[in-house]
Amino acid sequence: MNEMTPNQSERAEKLKGLGSSRKRVEDVRFTQGKGNYVDDIKLPGMLFGDFVRSPYAHARVVSIDADAAKALPGVVAVLTAADLAPLGLHWMPTLAGDKQMVLADGKVLFQGQEVAFVVATDRYAAADAVELIEVEYEELPVVTDPFKALEPGAPVLREDLAGKTEGAHGPRRHHNHIFTWEQGDKDATEQVLSGADVVAEEMIYYHRTHPCPLETCGCVASMDKVAGKLTVWGTFQAPHAVRTVASLISGIAEHNIRIISPDIGGGFGNKVGVYPGYICSIVASIVTGKPVKWVEDRMENLMATAFARDYWMKGRIAATKDGKITGLWCHVTADHGGFDACADPTKFPAGFFNICTGSYDIPVAYLAVDGVYTNKAPGGVAYRCSFRVTEAAYFIERMIEVLAIKLGMDAAELRRVNFIRKDQFPYHSALGWEYDSGDYHTAWDKALAAVGYEDLRAEQADRIEAFRRGETRKLMGIGLTFFTEIVGAGPVKNCDILGLGMFDSCEIRIHPTGSAIARLGTISQGQGHATTFAQILASEIGLPADDITIEEGDTDTAPYGLGTYGSRSTPVAGAATAMAGRKIRAKAQMIAAYLLEVHDDDVEWDVDRFVVKGAPERFKTMKEIAFAAYNQAIPGLEPGLEAVSYYDPPNMTYPFGAYVCVVDVDVDTGVTDIRRFYALDDCGTRINPMIIEGQVHGGLTEALAIAMGQEIAYDEMGNVKTGTLMDFFVPTAWETPHYETDWTTTPSPHHPIGAKGVGESPNVGGVPCFSNAVNDAFRAFGHVHAHMPHDHWRVWKIAHDLGLHG
Amino acid sequence: MIPGAFDYHRPTTLAEATGLLAEHGDAARVLAGGHSLIPMMKLRMAAPEHLIDLAAIEALRGIALGTEIRIGAMVTQAELIAHEGLAAACPILREAALQIADPQVRYVGTVGGNVANGDPGNDMPGLMQCLGARYALTGPDGSREVAARDFYHSAYVTERAEDEILTAILIPHPAPGTGYAYEKQKRKIGDYATAAAAVMVGRSAASIAMTNLADRPIWSQAAGAALASGDVAGAVAAALSEIDPSDDNRGPAEFKRHVAGVILKRAIERARARAA
Ligand SMILES: Cc1cc2nc3c(=O)[nH]c(=O)nc-3n(C[C@H](O)[C@H](O)[C@H](O)COP(=O)(O)OP(=O)(O)OC[C@H]3O[C@@H](n4cnc5c(N)ncnc54)[C@H](O)[C@@H]3O)c2cc1C
């Protein structure tokens, strides 16, 4: 190689491919306030929609008087269920096989439910009109407790389901019962439990919370009656799925619908579902022939669009005296609210909760989940986690701690004894999953060494002694978590949403001068796809990431895909990207061989070029090849250089991580101070370390929020008590601790580049870690478990109930 | 979150402002920093037809350190915090103001608005009671002064007549060597107090007030007297006997009462440590 030719590593570095901490290309516009969000879209003649919402959690709608509202200047229309019924749009299907009222059809089932939709020439007129609409309600008994909802005399919530003993997921045994989902071996598990040395038992509640993205949900619907084409800009995490659903329920042919997701200000699962606002805006645009914008405000977002969690998880875990786990039993009472609008793959009404055996080699397990209707908002979305995986991780990581207490064993050691060993992968879990790869012991040892685990325990013991001597009123908690996620839904053979297989896609066009555009079926909401997917391609096709445009979110241009949630973008669309890149490279190889006048097999790939084997001075760069693809008549090859790949993943991916948290707890005030947080993540091949770190920081901060204060709480009348950001906790820089991040790398064996996905890991692992730390602080005083969120008064209550206030 | 319709006025003199208030009566509200009033309007819990913005009235601005401390009603929390002379003369003001809301709110929210608002969650009213401050009010019939300790009746009900404007806060200089502390427990930045305590303690005098533990700030004469005589436990007990916290999302009354005692004791300890 002569001096003028940069060596391989210099050339690779220029590409900014895999492993480069390339800066986010999106941030150029975001940091200048030049993002383009739904609410930035302004069309000529655009109208605004606003909702009349129910103040009651359960009531009959006796009458709606909209005369005064209609008379208000600027008001164009008021829609009620009666107006939508002739179109068959007063109800809509949910992602979970249930149906949901678009506008109150005779009754309301939760506070904040949509009752009427006002359309006006501006937002102010719409809001004034909402005030003028008189709705007469007749209050009905409210049930917000899922256990009470299943009692024999409980109020009937879903009158539309009267007499239906079969739901979308099998038999219903009560008027407020939605489904029972069973996994594993019940008899064998119960047998193990009855004969076990030790059985630990606990009820673990993962409270209701909300993804609360900074940008709320909204859309602009525009029906072009001349062209017969409907365009909808919206905060959609799955634009193609929205197009298909919109076509199916409206009857408009799919090619006449165009869905565009512009910049999205965070989704976290909140923007997966289909909401009444979308349907009403579309209908209003069809009726008026004008574009209609609807954007919910913060209170509406917290009160009415999809919540997360609300799982009551009863657990029993069996072990030998020396701590080897022999079986796990779990029953979940899942509060789904007034309609079952969970966003899960069709065959998984409790998502992938059956990952609840966690990172442990548990020989036998049984799980049953009962879905229940209550007078709360519908939803149950995967808030920065793959479907119900955070609930599962919280459950098993709390159960491990509870078992450690029962055994009188160190919780780090208990985990180590039970980890799935490296040589057991691919590992078949008792509840039916095939874990692709892992090296848990290595990660665990690295984490414990990094934090100085033994020293921390010694310090904690000293602190307890000092506390007992009256020298301090602060206790110290050490939170441990080892989590395994299941992400990248998913194989079409068992994963679909509304019948749509959960593959994903990438289409690449190489331009003659050697730059490219790639379009994907996913949609970034802050994850940085435009940055990272270009990096995958750069490494695959040898063109600099800076010369590759990534485009997503417009169904008229992007290939069909199922969107972004459940950490599926890198595992599925990222795989499609690599595979499409390989198709490009295969054709490029033939072009190179032709240009170099050798046989296809006589050239080999070298970072950004094909070289003649044994003659490295003879090569063609990808740039040269791209040009040739457009200006040379190559026998046997079509002109151009394009490829498309639809990738159906053979399996899920299983990222994992080891987290440690140290918290100081003020026993007298309940105030907690996260002194240290260490997060080791193994997400397989690392595409962009800087973006990974950013994702981990963000996910941990949302985990902190959930564990330490964030909740959607209801009073017994069904009123939402936490409907504003004064009471709904979203941490700022002030509350956010310093995070230490670390990693190991265990590639996925079935993913083309070995990547597993990382965006949600920190939330899945973070929540149990913070919670374990708080609970651990009180372990020495006989405390076993307290429910989240661990806000000041609940922490104070632990101390109070233990008699620590004297 | 969209307010009802209103007219906006921006008078440049106090006389013009009081005139507008008299003209529009109940239908008008004065606007200072807007960080309490505008959220209420967005929730449509307040629906004034006329907003009289005080921002352009020069007479309501400025901090003066004369025989006593005078803080103009339209001084923002940020201006109060930045004022070095004030911090030297009465350091508890800065210590308390830094615990109000967040920097964004403090750049706009005013001291006058904070004390006039009448929300039991506001931090400045208790503080002003602790300091023995007086409020200067101007209405159509002239001006008067009201002691902060006599100003608050119940939530949002104050001694101020609807046609009066609060123009300034007057604070006597603390005696040299007075120790001070403002202690506040809150759930997060931007939250009102779970419990807060203002303590001033000098050689033979002390003053104690508590915030967000009743429907108005609680200045406890008995607590101050006990502390002046060196009886810390008596001071805490006296203050706790006068508060009346209620349950909310921060926790039940029982918890707040306990926390109130803890943070008051801490405030007293800190204040005593600072006393010369
Ligand atoms: C997120 C957030 C967090 C907050 N946290 C805290 C906190 O921790 N502690 C705290 O104390 N406050 C807090 N606040 C309130 C904030 O300090 C407000 O700025 C303050 O309560 C009101 O001052 P303002 O200048 O904004 O008044 P405005 O909102 O303009 O007015 C408030 C009320 O007082 C009346 N008023 C105002 N000025 C006068 C005057 N000169 N004469 C007569 N009437 C007048 C108005 O008519 C109105 O009724 C918070 C606010 C927000 C938005």
Side-chain angles (χ1 to χ4, degrees):
Chain A
M1 196 168 291
N2 70 43
E3 282 178 283
M4 300 303 289
T5 313
N7 66 30
Q8 280 185 332
S9 63
E10 279 167 3
R11 282 186 282 128
E13 202 168 310
K14 281 217 180 81
L15 297 179
K16 299 189 192 161
L18 294 183
S20 161
S21 280
R22 173 181 194 230
K23 286 201 175 141
R24 285 164 39 105
V25 294
E26 298 90 337
D27 290 345
V28 177
R29 65 179 189 279
F30 292 149
T31 54
Q32 297 182 49
K34 295 277 167 41
N36 187 39
Y37 299 91
V38 165
D39 211 8
D40 294 318
I41 291 166
K42 295 181 177 73
L43 302 176
M46 190 168 74
L47 304 174
F48 293 83
D50 201 349
F51 278 112
V52 175
R53 294 179 180 275
S54 171
Y56 299 111
H58 195 196
R60 222 167 277 296
V61 177
V62 178
S63 64
I64 302 174
D65 180 354
D67 289 350
K70 284 180 182 160
L72 194 74
V75 173
V76 176
V78 176
L79 298 178
T80 64
D83 302 303
L84 297 180
L87 308 167
L89 289 176
H90 54 321
W91 288 72
M92 62 180 183
T94 71
L95 297 180
D98 193 4
K99 55 181 185 153
Q100 176 179 351
M101 290 179 214
V102 173
L103 291 171
D105 183 20
K107 72 186 288 196
V108 288
L109 288 165
F110 63 94
Q111 188 182 53
Q113 187 177 330
E114 299 80 359
V115 175
F117 190 67
V118 175
V119 185
T121 49
D122 66 76
R123 280 200 167 123
Y124 293 86
D128 289 344
V130 164
E131 294 267 290
L132 292 176
I133 292 176
E134 302 236 348
V135 184
E136 192 189 328
Y137 297 95
E138 180 189 309
E139 286 184 69
L140 295 168
V142 171
V143 55
T144 57
D145 175 334
F147 297 98
K148 288 192 183 141
L150 288 181
E151 284 171 6
V156 178
L157 303 193
R158 291 291 298 276
E159 284 156 7
D160 59 298
L161 299 179
K164 277 203 165 181
T165 53
E166 195 71 22
H169 309 288
R172 300 171 66 228
R173 61 178 156 77
H174 179 280
H175 52 262
N176 293 328
H177 181 241
I178 309 172
F179 63 82
T180 300
W181 189 59
E182 283 183 282
Q183 297 286 299
D185 190 334
K186 185 177 186 195
D187 294 339
T189 306
E190 279 171 359
Q191 216 173 332
V192 165
L193 284 165
S194 62
D197 291 355
V198 176
V199 176
E201 186 168 333
E202 194 57 62
M203 172 64 98
I204 291 166
Y205 179 45
Y206 197 147
H207 59 287
R208 180 176 280 234
T209 181
H210 194 284
C212 192
L214 272 190
E215 177 204 30
T216 59
C217 299
C219 70
V220 177
S222 179
M223 183 72 198
D224 178 339
K225 289 195 175 175
V226 177
K229 183 146 185 168
L230 172 69
T231 305
V232 188
W233 291 260
T235 49
F236 306 130
Q237 288 184 235
H240 284 98
V242 169
R243 185 185 71 191
T244 302
V245 172
S247 174
L248 289 173
I249 64 182
S250 69
I252 302 172
E254 201 165 352
H255 70 286
N256 276 331
I257 302 178
R258 180 180 183 189
I259 304 292
I260 302 172
S261 294
D263 283 332
I264 296 183
F268 312 115
N270 183 232
K271 293 168 180 169
V272 171
V274 175
Y275 296 122
Y278 307 155
I279 309 282
C280 290
S281 303
I282 292 171
V283 171
S285 180
I286 293 171
V287 171
T288 62
K290 301 244 172 77
V292 176
K293 178 186 278 188
W294 165 76
V295 178
E296 60 178 2
D297 68 29
R298 177 64 58 201
M299 292 176 72
E300 294 177 294
N301 178 254
L302 289 174
M303 203 169 19
T305 45
F307 77 94
R309 329 299 194 221
D310 216 346
Y311 260 33
W312 290 91
M313 305 174 287
K314 173 109 192 156
R316 287 194 260 153
I317 187 164
T320 62
K321 283 191 294 295
D322 43 5
K324 187 82 190 91
I325 299 169
T326 51
L328 178 70
W329 180 98
C330 178
H331 179 270
V332 180
T333 301
D335 186 337
H336 285 223
F339 306 95
D340 186 11
C342 279
D344 292 312
T346 306
K347 297 187 189 78
F348 297 88
F352 304 153
F353 187 84
N354 54 334
I355 194 74
C356 66
T357 52
S359 315
Y360 311 104
D361 183 15
I362 301 180
V364 54
Y366 170 70
L367 162 69
V369 182
D370 278 306
V372 184
Y373 291 122
T374 61
N375 289 120
K376 298 185 192 168
V381 294
Y383 170 7
R384 203 167 186 149
C385 71
S386 190
F387 315 97
R388 302 291 188 183
V389 172
T390 183
E391 287 92 331
Y394 183 62
F395 169 74
I396 185 66
E397 287 304 297
R398 284 299 305 137
M399 286 307 294
I400 290 284
E401 295 282 319
V402 171
L403 177 62
I405 290 169
K406 186 113 191 186
L407 288 163
M409 197 168 163
D410 176 76
E413 185 56 23
L414 178 60
R415 285 179 173 84
R416 194 197 314 274
V417 170
N418 288 287
F419 281 144
I420 301 163
R421 291 187 321 273
K422 190 178 172 186
D423 57 72
Q424 286 176 287
F425 291 93
Y427 173 82
H428 292 266
S429 77
L431 293 176
W433 296 112
E434 183 188 312
Y435 293 32
D436 60 349
S437 64
D439 183 355
Y440 298 167
H441 287 96
T442 299
W444 196 228
D445 290 344
K446 187 174 184 187
L448 297 183
V451 299
Y453 180 66
E454 299 300 330
D455 293 345
L456 286 175
R457 283 291 179 208
E459 185 190 345
Q460 184 185 41
D462 288 347
R463 183 76 75 83
I464 290 162
E465 286 315 308
F467 182 88
R468 292 203 159 114
R469 289 194 301 268
E471 292 163 13
T472 179
R473 295 296 292 164
K474 282 197 177 157
L475 293 173
M476 170 181 166
I478 302 168
L480 302 175
T481 284
F482 198 100
F483 66 93
T484 297
E485 271 195 289
I486 168 170
V487 306
V492 172
K493 64 177 187 289
N494 59 359
C495 288
D496 71 273
I497 284 186
L498 292 177
L500 304 166
M502 297 180 75
F503 60 84
D504 226 290
S505 58
C506 175
E507 180 194 282
I508 305 168
R509 294 182 190 177
I510 311 291
H511 307 315
T513 52
S515 63
I517 182 166
R519 297 191 170 100
L520 291 86
T522 43
I523 174 71
S524 186
Q525 306 123 38
Q527 294 89 340
H529 291 177
T531 306
T532 50
F533 288 138
Q535 291 182 249
I536 295 178
L537 267 186
S539 288
E540 291 292 339
I541 63 175
L543 294 175
D546 290 346
D547 295 346
I548 302 169
T549 297
I550 299 290
E551 206 180 83
E552 302 174 306
D554 182 341
T555 58
D556 265 10
T557 56
Y560 205 100
L562 265 276
T564 295
Y565 41 84
S567 279
R568 64 185 300 280
S569 297
T570 294
V572 191
T577 304
M579 297 309 272
R582 286 173 195 182
K583 290 184 188 176
I584 297 276
R585 208 161 84 187
K587 184 168 179 184
Q589 179 166 5
M590 292 188 258
I591 298 170
Y594 171 80
L595 297 174
L596 292 162
E597 298 179 7
V598 296
H599 190 271
D600 290 355
D601 294 339
D602 292 334
V603 293
E604 63 188 357
W605 179 246
D606 175 24
V607 182
D608 58 353
R609 63 194 59 188
F610 280 99
V611 299
V612 176
K613 286 181 185 165
E617 71 287 354
R618 296 190 61 212
F619 61 82
K620 287 288 167 192
T621 64
M622 269 307 280
K623 246 179 141 74
E624 293 169 318
I625 294 166
F627 201 67
Y630 290 91
N631 79 346
Q632 298 248 349
I634 302 173
L637 280 183
E638 289 179 6
L641 195 51
E642 299 189 359
V644 56
S645 168
Y646 284 79
Y647 187 80
D648 178 8
N651 190 4
M652 311 282 185
T653 61
Y654 296 76
F656 57 92
Y659 290 0
V660 183
C661 171
V662 183
V663 66
D664 290 311
V665 178
D666 183 333
V667 169
D668 294 320
T669 60
V671 174
T672 50
D673 179 23
I674 307 295
R675 190 206 305 175
R676 195 160 176 200
F677 200 102
Y678 168 91
L680 179 151
D681 277 282
D682 191 320
C683 58
T685 301
R686 290 157 56 82
I687 299 167
N688 181 322
M690 178 199 70
I691 286 194
I692 291 174
E693 187 167 28
Q695 291 289 311
V696 171
H697 282 203
L700 288 176
T701 304
E702 280 179 322
L704 170 85
I706 295 166
M708 306 310 280
Q710 184 178 85
E711 65 176 322
I712 296 290
Y714 289 83
D715 68 14
E716 56 301 341
M717 299 295 290
N719 298 307
V720 180
K721 297 200 296 177
T722 51
T724 77
L725 296 188
M726 182 59 78
D727 288 311
F728 184 86
F729 177 40
V730 179
T732 67
W734 186 266
E735 291 82 17
T736 304
H738 175 72
Y739 302 121
E740 300 162 55
T741 57
D742 204 346
W743 68 93
T744 55
T745 303
T746 312
S748 168
H750 61 78
H751 186 280
I753 63 164
K756 289 186 170 185
V758 77
E760 302 171 330
S761 301
N763 201 306
V764 170
V767 172
C769 194
F770 287 112
S771 180
N772 284 347
V774 172
N775 280 292
D776 180 70
F778 295 100
R779 178 176 169 171
F781 302 90
H783 170 74
V784 177
H785 174 79
H787 296 316
M788 296 187 291
H790 303 299
D791 58 5
H792 296 168
W793 99 258
R794 288 174 173 104
V795 172
W796 176 88
K797 189 169 184 307
I798 301 174
H800 202 68
D801 292 348
L802 290 170
L804 300 182
H805 294 144
Chain B
M1 296 291 269
I2 291 180
F6 57 86
D7 285 337
Y8 176 80
H9 307 269
R10 196 177 172 89
T12 53
T13 65
L14 194 55
E16 216 186 314
T18 49
L20 281 163
L21 258 187
E23 182 188 338
H24 297 295
D26 279 5
R29 286 283 276 277
V30 300
L31 175 72
H35 270 53
S36 287
L37 182 54
I38 290 176
M40 300 276 272
M41 289 169 63
K42 286 182 167 184
L43 293 169
R44 298 197 175 213
M45 286 158 78
E49 288 161 36
H50 298 271
L51 268 191
I52 304 168
D53 191 343
L54 303 180
I57 304 175
E58 214 34 58
L60 299 179
R61 303 205 156 265
I63 295 170
L65 302 171
T67 49
E68 56 185 353
I69 298 164
R70 182 186 184 281
I71 302 173
M74 288 300 285
V75 168
T76 64
Q77 304 287 357
E79 287 166 350
L80 179 147
I81 289 166
H83 198 287
E84 292 303 334
L86 186 63
C90 187
I92 194 173
L93 287 169
R94 179 187 277 179
E95 179 165 303
L98 280 169
Q99 297 180 59
I100 291 178
D102 54 51
Q104 282 177 307
V105 174
R106 297 198 295 257
Y107 277 122
V108 187
T110 66
V111 182
N114 198 299
V115 298
N117 192 29
D119 182 336
N122 281 128
D123 287 287
M124 288 277 160
L127 177 65
M128 295 306 168
Q129 290 190 338
C130 177
L131 291 170
R134 299 178 331 280
Y135 301 153
L137 302 170
T138 298
D141 306 327
S143 300
R144 60 176 180 138
E145 286 181 8
V146 178
R149 291 173 192 168
D150 300 329
F151 190 74
Y152 301 96
H153 298 314
S154 60
Y156 299 103
V157 180
T158 68
E159 190 57 27
R160 183 180 70 86
E162 290 210 341
D163 55 4
E164 283 181 311
I165 289 173
L166 193 152
T167 57
I169 297 140
L170 308 161
I171 306 169
H173 282 284
T178 304
Y180 66 92
Y182 194 80
E183 191 82 26
K184 175 178 178 180
Q185 180 163 334
K186 56 186 172 181
R187 295 170 297 180
K188 57 177 178 182
I189 281 294
D191 192 19
Y192 294 95
T194 301
V199 174
M200 297 290 282
V201 55
R203 227 158 272 152
S204 55
S207 179
I208 291 176
M210 305 210 72
T211 289
N212 219 12
L213 293 161
D215 65 350
R216 66 208 139 83
I218 297 295
W219 176 73
S220 168
Q221 187 163 19
L227 183 58
S229 70
D231 176 7
V232 175
V236 172
L240 293 188
S241 73
E242 291 182 49
I243 62 172
D244 182 20
S246 48
D247 302 352
D248 64 18
N249 286 329
R250 294 178 185 85
E254 178 201 17
F255 160 70
K256 292 184 179 179
R257 187 172 281 285
H258 183 106
V259 168
V262 173
I263 65 144
L264 175 54
K265 211 180 294 165
R266 289 179 187 175
I268 290 172
E269 278 162 18
R270 262 193 325 118
R272 290 177 112 200
R274 281 166 166 168

